Amino acid sequence: MFRYKLLFLLFILFTATRCHDGDPEMTVVPARLTGVELTHMDNTGEVPVLSQEHRIKAEAYMLCIRLIIDTELYESDPFFYIPTFTDAISNIEIYALSESETDQTSETLVSDRFKDYPLALEDQLYDATSAGELLTQCKHTSIYKVLLHPLATGRYTFRVVCTLASGKTVEANSTPVEFY
């Protein structure tokens, strides 16, 4: 038993002396937003999942906004590279397009009904664009928005418009989703 404790102590001592003196430096890589892909997610369970049927409870709806970026090839380990937008994102707007003629939310801005949803602590802690800041770095290529104030039941298509600092826009429409 003493031998195992001694080996464990030597292991701890050896690994403590083998630590690097400094953290590796992150390298900035120029990136350009070329497109946006939208995915419906169901947040009723323990973990959000992709919605295969596109039929979700309105209270459990989450929108995944995947940013498609064009960047230089990483020379080595991509873990140490941070894609940085050459033209930063200044605003992300979400519009609801209703298929019901009686619904008043058709073609209206519903961004205020959504809130950022961090899938991990180091992901988004708040929406930089709604706070008036520019989104300059793309550490994670997906932004998750949870619907806090549900829309009426029915079929919807969401349109996301990303406005860049230069004034250009990149937008995409989702496939229809049915809220029940």
Side-chain angles (χ1 to χ4, degrees), residues 93-107:
E93 295 175 323
I94 304 171
Y95 294 89
L97 312 170
S98 175
E99 294 184 11
S100 167
E101 283 125 31
T102 60
D103 195 347
Q104 300 296 321
T105 60
S106 184
E107 295 280 340

Side-chain angles (χ1 to χ4, degrees), residues 20-26 80:
H20 298 286
D21 290 336
D23 291 334
E25 292 200 23
M26 303 300 271
F80 298 111

Side-chain angles (χ1 to χ4, degrees), residues 6-159:
L6 182 62
L7 284 174
F8 181 71
L9 181 63
L10 287 173
F11 174 74
I12 296 291
L13 188 61
F14 178 74
T15 55
T17 60
R18 301 289 296 165
C19 290
H20 298 286
D21 290 336
D23 291 334
E25 292 200 23
M26 303 300 271
T27 304
V28 173
V29 177
R32 186 173 52 91
L33 182 67
T34 59
V36 176
E37 286 181 1
L38 306 177
T39 308
H40 305 297
M41 298 186 78
D42 189 347
N43 197 18
T44 41
E46 198 172 306
V47 178
V49 295
L50 293 175
S51 172
Q52 301 297 329
E53 301 172 2
H54 301 298
R55 189 170 185 274
I56 303 171
K57 285 185 182 179
E59 299 84 26
Y61 178 73
M62 188 164 51
L63 181 64
C64 175
I65 304 169
R66 185 171 163 265
L67 304 175
I68 302 168
I69 59 172
D70 181 21
T71 184
E72 297 175 0
L73 294 175
Y74 300 157
E75 294 175 8
S76 60
D77 189 3
F79 179 77
F80 298 111
Y81 292 88
I82 299 177
T84 302
F85 291 119
T86 54
D87 192 4
I89 300 173
S90 63
N91 197 8
I92 299 175
E93 295 175 323
I94 304 171
Y95 294 89
L97 312 170
S98 175
E99 294 184 11
S100 167
E101 283 125 31
T102 60
D103 195 347
Q104 300 296 321
T105 60
S106 184
E107 295 280 340
T108 53
L109 182 66
V110 292
S111 299
D112 58 343
R113 292 179 178 241
F114 286 87
K115 180 75 175 159
D116 273 20
Y117 184 91
L119 289 183
L121 212 54
E122 66 273 2
D123 282 355
Q124 319 153 272
L125 296 178
Y126 70 100
D127 182 3
T129 59
S130 67
E133 300 173 19
L134 295 176
L135 184 60
T136 57
Q137 293 185 336
C138 186
K139 295 178 185 173
H140 305 281
T141 56
S142 293
I143 299 172
Y144 300 92
K145 301 275 190 179
V146 66
L147 185 61
L148 289 182
H149 306 287
L151 298 169
T153 58
R155 289 178 59 86
Y156 293 90
T157 300
F158 290 102
R159 182 174 48 150

